[in-house]
Amino acid sequence: MRDERVEAKREAETLDEPAREARALAERLGLDPYPVRYWVVDHDQMNELIAYGGFQRRYPHWRWGMNYERQKKKDRHGLGKAFEIVNNDDPAHAFLQESNSVADQKAVITHVEAHADFFSNNDWFGLYADRGEDGPNAAARLERNADRIAAIARRADVDRDEVERLIDAVTALEDTIDQHSPVDAARSVEEPGVAADVSDDDADPLAAIEDRIDDLDLSAEVRRDVFDDEWLEERGEGVEPEEPRPDVLAFLRDHGKRYDSESGKAVDREPWETTVIDAIREEAYYFAGQKQTKVMNEGWATYWESVMMGGEGFAGPDEFLTYADHMSRVLGSPGLNPYKLGFELWTHVELRAARREVIDKLLRVEGVTPENFHSRIDLDEVAALLEPHPAIAGAGPATLDELADLATDGDPRVDAEAVDRALSERSDDEEGSGDVDVERYPWKLLTREGLAERHFVLSRSDHRGALRNVSREALEEQARYLFDVDRYETVGAAIDDVDRAAGWERMFEVRESHNDVTFIDAFLTDEFVREGNYFTYEYSRAAEEHRVASVDADDVRRKLLLRFTNFGKPTVVVLDGNFRNRGELLLGHRYNGVALDEERAKETLKRVFELWGRPVNLATVRVEYDEGAARRAKRRGEEPEGTEVGVRFQYDGGEVTEHDLDDAVEARIVADEVDYDTKPDDWLA
């Protein structure tokens, strides 16, 4: 009988060396990852982990089973094999599929090491991770949440169905958080059901209402009958933020109640309900970093995986074809592929920085100006000079003597100690048996400077023509910032001074501070769109089919930014917690030219009601088309002009009703600035 635990242990033991060497190579390349703990799991365990979002335990809820069944079917029918899954934690935990080939395991290990570096160094992950000495401690936090919610569901005085219903409501809104702030930044009060005026922490909203009533100079009888204590309490519960509040969940947690069907009124929540809301909201902030950096993170991991597996031969000669097939499947997946887009954008970042470094040096050659750059500089000569030193490019047993000569001269590209140990092993006829196996791991003979030269982007065959594409205008702009220092007499002297790590250094800078929105906004350039043949498409009402709309870089950038802003979800904010002075909640959809899916919005509004306990409203804008005008436009082959109309949906526990939207409210939700999160006239190509 097959013992699966023994098989998994045997597989794990074979991966000890690849994991150890991958970490050493990653650090040699300049990566600074969290420690990683590797686990080998079978298909079923992998499907469970994917269903749980990368963790072994989550709070009890039906959606995990739904996720599991979906992933199981995809796995069974070959529609989406998972090679690994890794979570953002310190240490990170990576789970490898037991059935992976050796080449696949090595690929995912190098991929994971780069992910762990991104987790550790990206500021957007830091919004959750920077929580004192304990760090993110995500696995423990999520396990604690699982225990708490499971214990609540087991309590005799709590209806498990009510727990599930509450979880349904909160998870429907889990992306309505302030993704740009730390998890605890939006909390305005500490206990549920305690009102606070978020526009003025020192003001008492109930006292303010009483003062306004006093100003009316009413008789005692009218005041007692109309403005009684119950009426005042209801008005005092609401809050009226001066600025829209992006963290809807925090607002609902702090100021929401529970609707009691028996009394027909809103009542304070039970403490266990607030515990559930807090737990799920905290987890939403944990996963926000991953959602905000999907393109960057996967592209970063794919880039360094390719450097290690292909460039440094981490995939052995008998494994390379398997690895190449693995990578082609990853990059060739259809649709908006974050691995491919991210990989290409990171390469573009590297290329631009390296090219700028080379041009900076060449413009300092005596007699070279932006005007005569292409006539005075022999770019074929430059390409030859940028090629890595033969001993660096071919580092290994055959070049040990040449590397030893370079080390003797103090060359910073060579690890002198490693070369010396390798020579000693060779002299003892024990090549490959010591700690420097230069046959399998030749990168050990080089420093980061040597590896940077070995992988310099402008010496790669597919980028050697990049210098020829630089326009005179670009050269003039760069020359504007040059000073009369570090002049060179020859092109060779200039190239000798080129920092081969300039591209990598720029990548590391970008990795620290950007998310997908800023990354795409900053680096999806005209050149990138042109070279990658990117375009936009949209549905034509006239032709009743999808058509290519534009190849312009601005249009491509806007479409992509629409896809990634706010996780690709509509941006909804709190406008008023005392709408119409009735304690109602008013949410606003930040309309940027893309209308809501109204049916889904109405269903979500019902979930909001469960967390507010009183009537809830959603302000948005829809586009309406006149049927006659649409038919005429179709005959002419033109797109019909729609009319933007403000609308307010309301739900009070019965049916969702529709109302006209006040002009003042519409003005607050319609974008009017040219930005990726707003609505310029040419937003949709």
Side-chain angles (χ1 to χ4, degrees):
M1 179 179 294
R2 179 176 179 267
D3 189 328
E4 294 183 356
R5 290 173 298 178
V6 172
E7 292 290 335
K9 184 176 181 180
R10 184 180 297 117
E11 175 71 13
E13 289 174 349
T14 66
L15 299 177
D16 283 346
E17 182 183 339
R20 183 175 61 253
E21 297 298 344
R23 168 54 60 106
L25 175 54
E27 292 176 343
R28 183 69 60 96
L29 289 166
L31 302 182
D32 181 25
Y34 281 141
V36 180
R37 293 177 180 172
Y38 290 95
W39 308 77
V40 177
V41 297
D42 60 29
H43 278 276
D44 194 60
Q45 292 170 323
M46 180 64 78
N47 292 337
E48 288 182 11
L49 287 161
I50 293 172
Y52 278 142
F55 291 88
Q56 294 165 298
R57 289 191 60 209
R58 299 295 296 277
Y59 54 83
H61 191 241
W62 58 264
R63 70 167 171 165
W64 310 127
M66 180 187 70
N67 293 346
Y68 173 78
E69 288 299 326
R70 181 191 298 121
Q71 179 59 35
K72 185 177 179 181
K73 290 177 182 178
K74 288 173 63 177
D75 187 36
R76 181 188 303 138
H77 298 292
L79 300 176
K81 176 183 177 181
F83 292 98
E84 46 77 28
I85 189 168
V86 57
N87 57 42
N88 163 37
D89 208 350
D90 181 11
H93 294 266
F95 302 91
L96 313 184
Q97 186 93 272
E98 184 182 54
S99 61
N100 289 345
S101 67
V102 175
D104 286 339
Q105 298 291 37
K106 287 184 176 181
V108 296
I109 287 172
T110 55
H111 195 86
V112 162
E113 292 293 334
H115 272 314
D117 169 82
F118 196 90
F119 295 152
S120 176
N121 294 283
N122 180 262
D123 289 344
W124 296 94
F125 279 96
L127 288 177
Y128 183 91
D130 295 340
R131 310 182 76 177
E133 295 181 0
D134 291 339
N137 203 19
R141 291 177 188 274
L142 268 64
E143 185 167 346
R144 183 178 66 235
N145 289 341
D147 289 337
R148 285 177 174 175
I149 296 177
I152 289 170
R154 289 194 300 267
R155 282 170 46 179
D157 61 330
V158 175
D159 185 342
R160 183 186 177 94
D161 289 340
E162 289 298 319
V163 178
E164 291 240 344
R165 188 176 296 112
L166 178 60
I167 294 173
D168 288 343
V170 180
T171 54
L173 301 169
E174 63 185 353
D175 286 334
T176 59
I177 58 176
D178 185 359
Q179 57 190 272
H180 303 106
S181 301
V183 60
D184 296 322
R187 291 280 303 283
S188 61
V189 294
E190 293 302 320
E191 296 298 330
V194 179
D197 185 340
V198 298
S199 63
D200 185 355
D201 291 338
D202 297 327
D204 182 346
L206 190 59
I209 294 174
E210 290 179 322
D211 290 341
R212 288 159 59 188
I213 294 174
D214 289 339
D215 292 339
L216 297 177
D217 196 22
L218 301 173
S219 67
E221 182 180 2
V222 171
R223 177 163 180 165
R224 182 183 65 249
D225 293 342
V226 178
F227 300 106
D228 57 14
D229 290 342
E230 183 178 352
W231 187 93
L232 284 171
E233 182 181 350
E234 290 178 354
R235 271 58 188 172
E237 289 167 356
V239 292
E240 304 175 34
E242 290 184 353
E243 296 295 330
R245 289 277 298 274
D247 195 332
V248 177
L249 262 184
F251 194 89
L252 292 170
R253 185 270 186 203
D254 292 341
H255 309 293
K257 290 180 175 290
R258 176 171 56 84
Y259 180 74
D260 180 37
S261 58
E262 293 184 2
S263 65
K265 295 182 179 181
V267 298
D268 287 344
R269 292 194 193 101
E270 296 292 333
W272 69 261
E273 294 176 284
T274 301
T275 298
V276 171
I277 295 172
D278 282 342
I280 298 175
R281 178 175 170 272
E282 179 190 35
E283 294 187 11
Y285 271 90
Y286 168 79
F287 288 104
Q290 297 182 32
K291 295 177 181 179
Q292 286 179 281
T293 60
K294 182 68 173 178
V295 170
M296 288 185 71
N297 197 352
E298 295 298 354
W300 181 262
T302 303
Y303 175 90
W304 292 107
E305 174 194 333
S306 71
V307 170
M308 290 189 268
M309 289 292 289
E312 284 305 320
F314 207 70
D318 58 336
E319 300 164 348
F320 189 80
L321 285 179
T322 302
Y323 166 67
D325 178 66
H326 167 108
M327 181 63 86
S328 67
R329 280 185 284 162
V330 170
L331 296 181
S333 299
L336 183 55
N337 184 337
Y339 298 84
K340 182 177 187 294
L341 177 60
F343 176 77
E344 292 179 348
L345 275 171
W346 278 118
T347 303
H348 187 59
V349 171
E350 177 190 23
L351 177 64
R352 292 179 70 198
R355 183 170 58 191
R356 186 175 185 84
E357 169 71 9
V358 172
I359 290 174
D360 178 86
K361 298 299 186 289
L362 293 177
L363 285 174
R364 298 176 188 273
V365 175
E366 295 292 348
V368 174
T369 66
E371 292 76 16
N372 66 18
F373 180 89
H374 287 289
S375 60
R376 289 289 299 271
I377 299 295
D378 183 347
L379 294 179
D380 290 330
E381 177 191 4
V382 171
L385 291 170
L386 288 174
E387 289 292 323
H389 187 287
I392 300 295
T399 63
L400 267 179
D401 293 328
E402 293 178 76
L403 291 172
D405 292 339
L406 293 174
T408 300
D409 294 336
D411 195 308
R413 299 171 296 180
V414 180
D415 186 327
E417 292 184 7
V419 170
D420 185 60
R421 290 198 304 271
L423 287 171
S424 298
E425 292 172 15
R426 186 179 68 176
S427 65
D428 294 336
D429 293 326
E430 295 179 355
E431 182 178 317
S433 63
D435 62 344
V436 185
D437 187 346
V438 296
E439 184 70 42
R440 297 175 62 195
Y441 307 119
W443 52 267
K444 292 187 176 184
L445 300 172
L446 305 176
T447 62
R448 184 170 186 261
E449 289 86 345
L451 292 172
E453 178 172 322
R454 184 170 159 113
H455 296 286
F456 190 55
V457 63
L458 290 177
S459 65
R460 299 176 204 160
S461 58
D462 48 343
H463 297 301
R464 285 175 183 158
L467 292 173
R468 301 184 188 278
N469 301 330
V470 181
S471 67
R472 176 173 168 176
E473 291 76 14
L475 291 168
E476 289 175 344
E477 181 181 356
Q478 187 164 344
R480 197 175 299 134
Y481 301 98
L482 296 180
F483 301 95
D484 291 330
V485 294
D486 298 330
R487 308 298 294 189
Y488 302 102
E489 294 185 3
T490 66
V491 169
I495 296 301
D496 285 343
D497 247 7
V498 167
D499 179 6
R500 302 303 209 282
W504 285 357
E505 293 302 328
R506 179 58 176 150
M507 291 172 67
F508 280 94
E509 291 173 2
V510 171
R511 172 206 59 182
E512 290 186 8
S513 58
H514 282 266
N515 60 31
D516 283 347
V517 169
T518 60
F519 187 57
I520 291 170
D521 191 45
F523 301 110
L524 198 137
T525 64
D526 292 0
E527 179 186 12
F528 180 85
V529 171
R530 184 177 61 254
E531 295 292 328
N533 295 316
Y534 283 85
F535 60 88
T536 69
Y537 66 91
E538 64 181 20
Y539 183 77
S540 168
R541 289 180 175 270
E544 297 183 345
E545 64 180 6
H546 285 89
R547 288 183 170 179
V548 173
S550 175
V551 295
D552 184 76
D554 287 339
D555 295 328
V556 173
R557 187 182 306 110
R558 290 187 184 109
K559 281 290 182 71
L560 284 173
L561 291 171
L562 264 177
R563 183 71 175 266
F564 293 107
T565 299
N566 196 47
F567 317 134
K569 306 286 183 64
T571 301
V572 176
V573 296
V574 176
L575 296 179
D576 195 346
N578 189 23
F579 181 55
R580 300 189 297 179
N581 204 31
R582 297 178 179 177
E584 297 183 10
L585 177 67
L586 176 63
L587 302 176
H589 165 225
R590 296 274 193 159
Y591 178 72
N592 57 9
V594 179
L596 288 176
D597 180 330
E598 293 187 3
E599 291 307 312
R600 296 180 66 180
K602 292 175 182 178
E603 291 302 313
T604 305
L605 201 58
K606 296 177 182 178
R607 300 299 192 186
V608 178
F609 176 80
E610 295 183 35
L611 298 175
W612 185 249
R614 290 147 286 176
V616 293
N617 301 265
L618 174 63
T620 186
V621 174
R622 67 157 64 112
V623 180
E624 297 180 349
Y625 295 91
D626 178 76
E627 292 185 6
R631 287 194 298 270
R632 290 191 294 273
K634 183 176 181 179
R635 286 196 297 269
R636 292 192 297 266
E638 300 174 352
E639 295 302 310
E641 292 289 335
T643 302
E644 294 177 343
V645 178
V647 61
R648 174 173 60 85
F649 298 108
Q650 183 185 51
Y651 182 71
D652 59 4
E655 297 292 330
V656 177
T657 56
E658 183 178 316
H659 309 270
D660 293 335
L661 185 63
D662 183 80
D663 291 341
V665 176
E666 183 174 348
R668 294 182 70 188
I669 64 172
V670 173
D672 58 2
E673 299 176 0
V674 179
D675 195 2
Y676 57 79
D677 196 23
T678 60
K679 180 202 153 192
D681 292 337
D682 58 347
W683 185 270
L684 297 177

